Amino acid sequence: MISLLLSAMVAGPMVVREPTLQTAPQIVRIHMRVQGYGVTGTGEMILDRATGSFVQRLNLGPASETIGFDGKTAWFADATGLPIAEGNVDQRSSILAWSALFARPWPAAVTGGVVRFRGFSRAIALTVDRSSGLVQRAIVPRGDVKTIVAPSDYRTLPDGSVMPYVIKYTDDSGTWTGFVTRVSLQRSAPSTLFAQPVRPDDARISGGITSVQTLPGAPLIIIPARIDGGPLMHFILDTGGQNILTPDAMRRLGLQSVGGGTVGGGGANLISTRWANVRSVRVGAAEMTDQPFLVIDFGKLLRGIDGILGYELLARFAARLDYRTDTLQLASSIPASWIAGARAAPFTFRERQPQVGGAVDGIPAQVTIDTGSTGTFDVNAGFSRDYDLWKRYRVTRARVLYTGVGGGVKAARVRLASVDLGSLTLHGVEATLAQASAGFEADPSFAANAGEGIFREYRLVFDYAHRRLYFAPGGLRDRSGLTLTARNGMLMVSAVRAGAPAAGIAPGMRVTAVNGRAVSANDLQAVRAILDARAGTQVLLMLNGTVNRKILLRNYL
C-alpha cells in the first residue's frame, strides 16, 4: 500500500509555471501595489525555485504583515516585525501553500480538482482553466476558515516562466489584492533572505520587574494600562488575543483609525475591524512602543473594557499571573522563584495563541491556552465528532452555554476523568462539548480550549520567548463557583459559574454575612479563604441582608 501511495505522488500544479530555460534564474522578486483592508500600500514576494523558500511582505501601515518559509520553519510577523514560528498544523500548511503554489513544485496526490500535498494537514481545492492549464483559484483550509487565492492576468517572463500579475487573497480578515508592478530575476540570494525577522527593539522594563493589580473579582483578567501616556484604562489579558482598542477608547484617546476588515472568534459570525497605531503602551513599569492595534466594537459583550492586550505583551515580557493576590508581574526574564515546584507545559503557537500537547481522557490532544475564556475546558466539535464523545459521555442535547465575539455557542456539559497539559494532569474536569459548524469551536486543527476555570488554581507563568507555560503552586482553589469583588465598601457577587455549588445565586447580589458573621469589602480575602476550604465543608451565606443560602463546597471543576 505504501509503495502504491508513493507512486501516485506527482509534482503538484502551480500558480507560477516553471521556466522553460534550463539556466533560468533561481530567485524571483515580485514587486506589487497592494490594496487591502481599506488601505493602499506596497508588497513584495521573493521566491526561491530551488528550495521552495519564500517571503511575502505586505506594507499596509498598522495592517502590515509578513509570512515566510525558510526551508524548515513556516513563520509570520506583524507590523512590528515580531516573528512567530507556526506550530499548529493548519496554520503551518496555509503558509506552506504559498511555497507549493508559487515557488517550487511539492509532491502531491491529485484527484480531479483536489490536491493533497505531502506533509500538509488537509487537501487544497484548485480550479484550473481547461484551455490554458492555469490556476484560477486555490481554496486553502486554515482552521475553521477557507482562505482563497485567486490569481489572474498571467504573463510570460523572459525565462519562459508564466506568472499572474494580479493576486487576490481572501480570508476571515477581509481581502487584499496585489497588482504586480515589476518582476526581477536573480541567479542566487543569501539564505538569510528567508529567515525570520530579528526581534524588534521596542520593549523595556524599568528595574527588570514590575507588578500591577488585576481587577479583583472580575470574571476575566483585567489589567491597568496607559496608552500614549493617557489615563489608566482597563484591558483584558488574553493569551489568545492581540492588541485591541474599542472605538470608545479611541475617541477618549483622540486616536484615528484606518482601513476596514473583519475578525472571527468564539461563535460563527464575523465582526468589523479597523486599525490604529499607538506610540506607547505602559503596564506598570513595562513599556511597548510603536504598536499596531485592531479597533473592535464588542458592544454589550465586554462592557467597561477598553480593549485587549495579549500576544504582543506576553511575547516581550515574562509574566506571572497570581489569582490569589490578584496581581500580574512582568519581568525581563523569569526569576527562578517563579517556577519553583511548577509543572511545565511546552507549547507551540497557533497564530498568536499558545497550543499545548496533552490528552483528553487518554486521547492525544492539542489544547489552546486562553486566559480570555471564562470557561474551564471547551472541547471543539471536530474532536468530539472524531472520537464520538457525545456517545461516550452519553449526552444528546446542546444549548447555548457561552458567548464569544461571533455570538452564542451551543454545547453540552460533561465531566472528564482526566486532562493532561504538558506534565500537568488534572482529574474530574468540568468540560463542554461544542456543537458548531463555524467559528473557533469548529476548528479541526486542535482539540480543546483551556480557560480560567483551570488556570485560577495555579500561579501561571508565561515564558513566550522559550515557549514554556508553568503551572506553579499557590493559586486560588474554587470549590463554590462564586467570583467575589469588593465594591463601594460592599462584598459583591460578580459572577457565578454554571454547574457549581453556588449556581442560582445571581451576580450583583451582596454578601452580607458568612457563617453568621457580618462581612464587608474589607473581608474579601477572608471570605475567599472560607470558600477555599476542603470539599464537603458547608458554608452559610446571607445575601442582600435577608436571603440565606447554604453551599456545600466540592471539587466541581
Side-chain angles (χ1 to χ4, degrees):
M1 181 64 72
I2 293 177
S3 61
L4 290 175
L5 178 63
L6 291 177
S7 65
M9 285 285 176
V10 298
M14 293 181 64
V15 169
V16 178
R17 276 191 177 175
E18 292 189 280
T20 55
L21 297 178
Q22 292 185 348
T23 58
Q26 175 180 332
I27 306 298
V28 180
R29 282 183 178 263
I30 303 167
H31 305 272
M32 300 181 290
R33 174 175 56 87
V34 178
Q35 293 178 344
Y37 316 126
V39 182
T40 298
T42 62
E44 180 182 40
M45 288 181 64
I46 307 174
L47 313 173
D48 187 329
R49 290 166 165 167
T51 67
S53 299
F54 82 97
V55 64
Q56 176 196 98
R57 298 186 182 89
L58 300 181
N59 303 310
L60 297 170
S64 298
E65 64 178 20
T66 307
I67 63 172
F69 174 58
D70 61 8
K72 181 180 179 181
T73 301
W75 55 269
F76 88 96
D78 63 11
T80 69
L82 184 67
I84 304 173
E86 278 292 1
N88 177 273
V89 290
D90 268 14
Q91 301 292 335
R92 173 180 166 82
S93 292
S94 70
I95 293 177
L96 293 182
W98 290 90
S99 173
L101 293 172
F102 284 81
R104 183 171 184 259
W106 283 58
V110 182
T111 307
V114 177
V115 182
R116 297 185 179 276
F117 290 103
R118 182 186 293 167
F120 283 34
S121 59
R122 288 190 279 167
I124 293 174
L126 288 183
T127 301
V128 179
D129 182 77
R130 289 187 177 182
S131 60
S132 66
L134 297 172
V135 174
Q136 295 178 313
R137 187 173 70 166
I139 301 177
V140 182
R142 188 191 70 210
D144 59 300
V145 177
K146 290 182 178 179
T147 65
I148 302 173
V149 182
S152 61
D153 188 17
Y154 282 86
R155 303 182 190 181
T156 303
L157 301 182
D159 65 352
S161 58
V162 178
M163 65 160 289
Y165 267 57
V166 177
I167 303 168
K168 184 178 181 180
Y169 175 82
T170 303
D171 67 2
D172 59 336
S173 297
T175 298
W176 63 262
T177 304
F179 302 90
V180 176
T181 57
R182 181 167 56 93
V183 179
S184 58
L185 304 175
Q186 301 173 210
R187 292 294 176 190
S188 62
S191 59
T192 53
L193 189 63
F194 306 102
Q196 298 179 52
V198 176
R199 289 174 62 91
D201 182 18
D202 59 1
R204 57 200 55 83
I205 185 168
S206 179
I209 191 168
T210 189
S211 179
V212 296
Q213 191 79 17
T214 64
L215 189 63
L220 291 168
I221 303 302
I222 311 298
I223 62 173
R226 296 184 190 274
I227 304 296
D228 289 350
L232 275 179
M233 306 180 90
H234 297 93
F235 290 80
I236 295 171
L237 181 69
D238 183 1
T239 51
Q242 62 188 102
N243 289 339
I244 295 176
L245 281 165
T246 65
D248 180 63
M250 291 284 291
R251 285 190 292 270
R252 284 184 281 126
L253 291 166
L255 296 175
Q256 299 297 314
S257 60
V258 299
T262 54
V263 70
N269 300 322
L270 299 176
I271 58 175
S272 298
T273 63
R274 289 176 67 83
W275 282 268
N277 198 77
V278 306
R279 299 186 308 276
S280 168
V281 181
R282 289 190 66 90
V283 178
E287 182 182 26
M288 304 185 293
T289 55
D290 298 321
Q291 291 294 302
F293 272 73
L294 282 175
V295 181
I296 297 179
D297 187 350
F298 293 109
K300 297 179 181 179
L301 184 62
L302 298 174
R303 289 185 180 274
I305 299 301
D306 297 303
I308 290 175
L309 295 175
Y311 170 80
E312 293 84 355
L313 180 71
L314 297 171
R316 289 169 170 84
F317 304 103
R320 180 168 74 163
L321 185 58
D322 192 328
Y323 286 86
R324 182 174 291 277
T325 61
D326 298 313
T327 56
L328 169 70
Q329 289 179 288
L330 300 173
S332 53
S333 60
I334 291 181
S337 60
W338 282 14
I339 56 176
R343 296 282 188 175
F347 63 78
T348 58
F349 282 106
R350 175 195 174 272
E351 288 192 284
R352 295 172 173 85
Q353 185 171 23
Q355 176 180 293
V356 172
V360 175
D361 278 348
I363 304 170
Q366 292 292 319
V367 179
T368 51
I369 302 299
D370 191 359
T371 58
S373 169
T374 58
T376 300
F377 197 79
D378 302 319
V379 181
N380 274 10
F383 187 80
S384 295
R385 184 173 53 252
D386 291 345
Y387 294 97
D388 206 8
L389 297 188
W390 287 71
K391 182 178 180 180
R392 178 172 181 168
Y393 298 113
R394 300 179 181 178
V395 290
T396 58
R397 185 177 300 176
R399 59 189 178 90
V400 175
L401 292 181
Y402 54 96
T403 301
V405 296
V409 178
K410 285 188 174 182
R413 297 190 190 282
V414 299
R415 185 169 293 277
L416 305 175
S418 66
V419 168
D420 296 328
L421 298 172
S423 62
L424 176 72
T425 298
L426 305 169
H427 298 283
V429 176
E430 180 192 69
T432 63
L433 304 183
Q435 189 179 79
S437 58
F440 185 76
E441 297 77 17
D443 190 331
S445 67
F446 65 96
N449 190 59
E452 180 262 354
I454 286 176
F455 304 147
R456 65 186 310 183
E457 298 183 31
Y458 303 92
R459 289 189 175 102
L460 283 188
V461 179
F462 297 100
D463 184 1
Y464 275 37
H466 300 96
R467 288 179 291 184
R468 290 287 187 276
L469 167 64
Y470 295 93
F471 295 90
L476 183 65
R477 178 64 180 175
D478 181 11
R479 294 186 174 92
S480 70
L482 284 176
T483 301
L484 303 177
T485 185
R487 187 187 309 153
N488 299 326
M490 298 178 290
L491 193 57
M492 306 292 296
V493 176
S494 59
V496 184
R497 190 177 299 279
I505 294 176
M509 299 184 82
R510 293 177 292 116
V511 180
T512 51
V514 178
N515 291 335
R517 185 179 70 84
V519 294
S520 67
N522 294 330
D523 300 302
L524 174 61
Q525 296 301 331
V527 173
R528 280 183 173 176
I530 292 172
L531 296 175
D532 201 17
R534 66 183 181 180
T537 302
Q538 183 173 277
V539 178
L540 176 62
L541 301 178
M542 179 177 284
L543 304 159
N544 294 346
T546 58
V547 179
N548 288 306
R549 175 70 186 274
K550 291 181 180 179
I551 295 178
L552 185 64
L553 303 182
R554 60 183 173 86
N555 298 323
Y556 75 96
L557 292 175

